[in-house]
DNA sequence: CCATTTTACGCAATCGTTTGCGTAAATTAA
DNA sequence: TTAATTTACGCAAACGATTGCGTAAAATGG
């Protein structure tokens, strides 16, 4: 009973001696089709396993009922959880979610954004790579009403939708906790300078130090882009020259690099140096000695971002009101 | 200079007093368009930032130049690496990769497959959830020539493309290693029964035991589906009744569940029980005591699977020749 | 110089849907 | 009974791109 190629409306219309438009309306349960005809068409369509061609539908209706999400890396648990939150909301509203990863390459990111626009995604969730200005450029040039919600790494202006966690507070709390553990020479392994999360986390870190009467030593602050190499160089240099007694790491990857670097040190330093870092890795709590974790409410961030996006997609001509949601992160695994 | 809505061919044709077809051909560098006209059209198109509408192109050409990959969970490093391998190959050939996750739900999987078919993906990479027969059913019913390559969890028949790692050998090696460490009561935490990877890994495990003159104790073999609950129950039961001196875990998740359960045991068992498990988690080597890891060549698996898929997509009328690739996995972190 | 080919473009169909409009037949209203 | 309305369907345009075919004008051949 399975056909060689997908059956289309005209196949049904021929088989039933009806016009294509009647078949279409019957399947869409239009009121201007007789009940009897509807039954015939619908049951026949079910028998031959008719599925509307989404490409054709999209072309006609100018929407695709899918949203795209662009993240740096799906293997990063933080982003994976965000994706799950997005899927949760989107699927409930009949939208599919298409996932892209940039691997922190601005070039890839730009290509993906262009492609998303050309494929007419109904909306975009974006956590931009480093180069904010270039991304802005592209967002302008696609010349479409592509609704966007930024999350995690967000632009500084207020004319866009944003969902973030309270990076300042989280960094403040984490650093304060390290200070309470008696640490004074706290190094900060920061992400790329210039992006929102780096700025806010650095601010929280600095505030906590000053708050405790510790001066901020620029030598202990190291920016790493997303190459492992940079992080390792920074870590080696820090150990050689400054021997921090604690590390505050600004990302999943940096947390684990720190941890590994510290574990390789000779005792007793290896077990004395404390590390706290941003990570949503589900098994981080298994590490001994502990890696204290700043855990972001990633699933909720995804849910909220998706809700904001779908709202702006459906609320057509309503006047735009930009949202800015900030959620708290929690410090875990501090015994 | 940026327009309100995306510019289309007819916009260009009006602006330049040319027909739509001429514009189209000029942009596609057709030989039947004069060089001068081409230059004019192309430069104008560049100026107004023209991008072909991929929906329209897809409808016309009946291909979309994207492939879909369906995995259980993107946060699982094994699958994330596979995705990266797929992207590597696909992007090089001008294809985009769309990622879907099933969360190990057959229902979700089926919906996704249907959607992929309706959206006319050019091909599909599939690691099916448990219910093989239901999935087969759907694959038939979509009635399209949708090329498929299976990976990791694959059907048993030979009339499809498959990419796997040598699960039997890997399980054999891992179990043998545990035996060489002096372990005799080796529990096997298996995935869902009935799927290819579970069967092969169980076979390798059993063969290694028999090979060492150890009889296979069915009580030490536990199948867990993908709920954490089942795994925990199995682990607790094993500890209460049989107290294995080693665990062989069949998946990323099971490996970490095992590890966590064992770490919670009172000493000296906690540090005596050895664990070896399938995992591609990048930081597994940081755990102390060690978690020995069977690492699959996930990136290569993804690359090969994508190559197979793109081959069958492009080689149109060639007679189908089904491929079955098996790659070796390596045992790491065994000091 | 005329016939033939080539060049360079336009017309219109097509991909599979949806939908505005037109219209017979059936129903209702007056 | 006739006019007005409703019901139930078909025709054809549209979405934005590609492409087979037709055809003037230009280039070439003998």
């Amino acid at each position: 009973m399975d056909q060689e190629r997908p059956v289309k409306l005209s196949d049904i219309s021929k088989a039933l001696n009806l016009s294509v438009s009647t078949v279409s309306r019957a399947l869409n349960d239009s009121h201007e089709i007789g009940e009897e005809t509807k039954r015939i068409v619908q049951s026949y369509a079910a028998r031959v396993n008719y599925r509307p061609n989404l490409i054709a539908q999209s072309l006609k209706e100018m929407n695709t009922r899918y949203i795209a999400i662009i993240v740096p890396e799906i293997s990063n648990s933080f982003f994976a959880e965000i994706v799950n939150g997005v899927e949760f909301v989107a699927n409930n509203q009949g939208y599919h979610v298409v996932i892209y990863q940039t691997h922190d390459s601005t070039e890839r990111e730009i290509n993906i954004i262009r492609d998303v626009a050309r494929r007419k995604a109904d909306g975009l969730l974006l956590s931009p790579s480093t180069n904010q200005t270039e991304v802005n450029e592209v967002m302008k040039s696609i010349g479409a009403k592509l609704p966007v919600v930024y999350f995690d790494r967000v632009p500084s202006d207020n004319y866009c939708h944003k969902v973030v966690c309270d990076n300042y507070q989280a960094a403040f709390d984490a650093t304060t906790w390290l200070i309470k553990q008696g640490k004074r020479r706290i190094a900060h392994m920061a992400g790329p300078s210039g992006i929102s999360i780096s700025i806010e986390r650095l601010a929280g870190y600095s505030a906590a130090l000053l708050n405790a009467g510790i001066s901020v030593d620029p030598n202990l602050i190291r920016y790493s882009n997303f190459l492992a190499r940079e992080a390792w160089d920074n870590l080696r240099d820090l150990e050689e020259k400054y021997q921090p007694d604690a590390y505050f790491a600004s990302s999943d990857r940096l947390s684990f690099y720190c941890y590994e670097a510290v574990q390789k040190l000779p005792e007793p330093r290896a077990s004395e140096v404390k590390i706290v870092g941003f990570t949503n890795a589900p098994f981080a709590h298994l590490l001994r000695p502990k890696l204290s974790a700043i855990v972001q409410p990633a699933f909720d961030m995804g849910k909220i971002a998706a809700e904001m996006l779908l709202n702006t997609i459906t609320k057509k001509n309503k006047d735009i009101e930009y949202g800015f949601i900030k959620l708290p992160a929690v410090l875990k695994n501090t015994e």
Side-chain angles (χ1 to χ4, degrees), chain A:
Chain A
M1 256 3 107
D2 36 334
Q3 55 290 329
E4 188 46 44
R5 59 172 175 73
V7 16
K8 42 191 179 180
L9 283 188
S10 64
D11 297 328
I12 302 182
S13 90
K14 275 171 203 150
L16 266 39
N17 256 337
L18 289 167
S19 77
V20 173
S21 43
T22 299
V23 174
S24 171
R25 278 186 258 251
L27 290 175
N28 290 324
D29 210 35
S30 160
H31 64 277
E32 39 181 339
I33 299 296
E35 291 303 322
E36 178 62 8
T37 313
K38 273 188 199 172
R39 259 190 299 278
I40 295 177
V41 172
Q42 285 170 1
S43 76
Y44 182 83
R47 268 209 315 114
V48 297
N49 235 306
Y50 168 77
R51 310 277 167 188
N53 181 324
L54 281 189
I55 308 264
Q57 271 184 335
S58 297
L59 180 58
K60 190 66 178 73
E61 317 220 310
M62 292 312 262
N63 69 13
T64 49
R65 298 197 71 74
Y66 80 85
I67 61 178
I69 177 167
I70 305 179
V71 300
E73 206 81 34
I74 55 173
S75 61
N76 184 317
S77 300
F78 169 64
F79 292 113
E81 283 180 42
I82 288 202
V83 169
N84 290 344
V86 171
E87 282 185 342
F88 181 81
V89 170
N91 291 341
N92 270 345
Q93 303 197 27
Y95 282 77
H96 268 247
V97 177
V98 172
I99 310 160
Y100 292 97
Q101 22 179 7
T102 65
H103 302 293
D104 282 308
S105 146
T106 302
E107 185 196 343
R108 275 187 60 90
E109 177 166 86
I110 287 172
N111 284 334
I112 292 171
I113 294 176
R114 285 231 170 82
D115 199 72
V116 163
R118 295 203 304 160
R119 290 187 189 277
K120 309 295 173 190
D122 288 348
L124 173 61
L125 293 163
L126 183 57
S127 176
S129 291
T130 50
N131 199 322
Q132 187 62 48
T133 56
E134 247 184 284
V135 170
N136 271 341
E137 193 87 8
V138 182
M139 293 305 296
K140 295 276 161 61
S141 82
I142 58 181
K145 30 140 210 38
L146 175 68
V148 178
V149 172
Y150 293 90
F151 61 94
D152 187 43
R153 312 172 185 178
V154 300
S156 52
D157 69 286
N158 287 320
Y159 302 98
C160 56
H161 300 282
K162 303 191 263 191
V163 179
V164 297
C165 87
D166 192 338
N167 289 295
Y168 175 89
Q169 188 66 45
F172 185 91
D173 293 348
T175 309
T176 299
W177 178 78
L178 284 171
I179 294 168
K180 283 203 183 125
Q181 303 300 305
K183 307 303 178 187
R184 311 286 293 178
R185 303 184 54 72
I186 303 173
H188 177 28
M189 295 293 288
S193 63
I195 69 177
S196 62
I197 50 176
S198 298
I199 295 170
E200 294 164 16
R201 290 171 190 179
L202 173 61
Y205 158 85
S206 303
L209 289 180
L210 295 176
N211 190 51
I214 304 173
S215 64
V216 177
D217 181 353
N219 291 315
L220 295 181
I221 300 170
R222 300 302 174 100
Y223 297 96
S224 306
N225 287 311
F226 298 97
L227 302 170
R229 176 71 200 206
E230 288 174 299
W232 287 119
D233 288 349
N234 275 321
L235 284 163
R236 188 163 26 72
D237 193 62
L238 276 169
E239 279 300 329
E240 280 175 7
K241 298 189 186 152
Y242 303 99
Q243 296 166 12
D245 54 16
Y247 284 91
F248 164 46
S250 188
S251 78
D252 238 284
R253 218 176 323 195
L254 291 173
S255 297
F256 287 105
Y257 288 160
C258 269
Y259 189 89
E260 185 160 7
V262 168
Q263 289 320 299
K264 283 182 177 157
L265 296 176
E267 288 293 352
R269 269 187 67 70
S271 42
E272 283 173 2
V273 173
K274 283 207 181 292
I275 305 173
V276 53
F278 275 84
T279 176
N280 280 51
F283 299 107
H285 66 283
L286 296 179
L287 292 172
R288 295 294 177 278
K290 291 197 172 184
L291 166 64
S292 301
I294 304 165
V295 180
Q296 300 181 65
F299 190 85
D300 287 335
M301 288 172 68
K303 271 173 53 177
I304 292 174
E307 280 161 3
M308 288 177 66
L309 184 62
L310 292 175
N311 270 345
T312 76
I313 289 174
T314 48
K315 266 155 202 156
K316 279 288 150 194
N317 34 11
K318 279 276 186 80
D319 35 13
I320 26 175
E321 197 171 306
Y322 291 110
F324 181 18
I325 305 287
K326 187 182 285 188
L327 300 178
V330 296
L331 187 56
K332 284 190 181 172
N333 207 26
T334 51
E335 61 227 294

